[in-house]
Amino acid sequence: MRAQRPHQQLLERMLRWAPDVVIVVLGGNDITSRCQPRDISLDILKLCRLVKARGVATVVVAGICQRWAFCDNALTSDRFTAIGSAIDRYVRRYFPVSSMVHVREDVHWLSDGVHLSEEGMAEYMESLRLKLAKIFKPKDLVL
């Protein structure tokens, strides 16, 4: 779902589980060269605040991963990275943001340049684990 238009039924199903922690994972599929990071950030914050207001103790945002292929020909890898970094900086003021620790095009991505490889997914999950370890005390963290 897009942060701009959350899927209400999906959110309700998730919230019925009464989770203590929700990780909002951002994909970046809809980012174009014309996107404004502040607008995207505000949509993400609105979604996070909605989840928090429904009783979730901890909301963590998994930052937008670098990618190498785009539908918008005017969007370059550098521009995408700049947009993602700006979004992370803005959201980080209000919610913890986890970013991939180390990204390499050759091993972390499938040949389509969009989807994470098995090694990339392992790196992504490790970055989330490290962020959660900073937020929670070790005894609270059962992985």
Side-chain angles (χ1 to χ4, degrees):
M1 73 177 144
R2 296 179 78 169
Q4 187 179 38
R5 290 187 302 278
H7 189 282
Q8 291 302 320
Q9 289 177 329
L10 182 60
L11 280 173
E12 289 302 320
R13 271 187 25 218
M14 184 257 318
L15 291 168
R16 269 188 249 135
W17 285 84
D20 294 323
V21 178
V22 168
I23 300 170
V24 177
V25 179
L26 306 172
N29 301 17
D30 300 316
I31 292 178
T32 68
S33 59
R34 297 171 306 283
C35 285
Q36 296 299 314
R38 186 173 186 279
D39 295 339
I40 297 169
S41 300
L42 291 174
D43 290 334
I44 294 165
L45 289 174
K46 183 178 174 184
L47 175 62
C48 292
R49 287 178 176 134
L50 170 76
V51 170
K52 189 89 169 151
R54 293 289 301 271
V56 175
T58 304
V59 178
V60 176
V61 178
I64 298 171
C65 289
Q66 172 63 292
R67 54 191 294 180
W68 312 99
F70 311 99
C71 294
D72 178 356
N73 292 332
L75 187 60
T76 65
S77 181
D78 288 343
R79 176 71 179 133
F80 185 86
T81 299
I83 291 171
S85 294
I87 292 167
D88 288 352
R89 279 192 308 277
Y90 193 83
V91 172
R92 190 176 286 121
R93 295 182 201 168
Y94 305 95
F95 291 93
V97 175
S98 170
S99 299
M100 277 182 74
V101 178
H102 178 68
V103 181
R104 286 192 14 223
E105 181 178 2
D106 56 344
V107 297
H108 291 150
W109 301 92
L110 297 178
S111 59
D112 66 3
V114 174
H115 296 95
L116 291 170
S117 67
E118 200 169 309
E119 288 181 45
M121 186 57 75
E123 184 71 29
Y124 188 65
M125 297 308 284
E126 176 65 7
S127 68
L128 285 173
R129 187 192 69 74
L130 291 171
K131 179 54 77 172
L132 291 172
K134 289 180 181 177
I135 295 170
F136 297 109
K137 294 174 179 62
K139 66 181 174 93
D140 296 334
L141 204 60
V142 179
L143 299 175

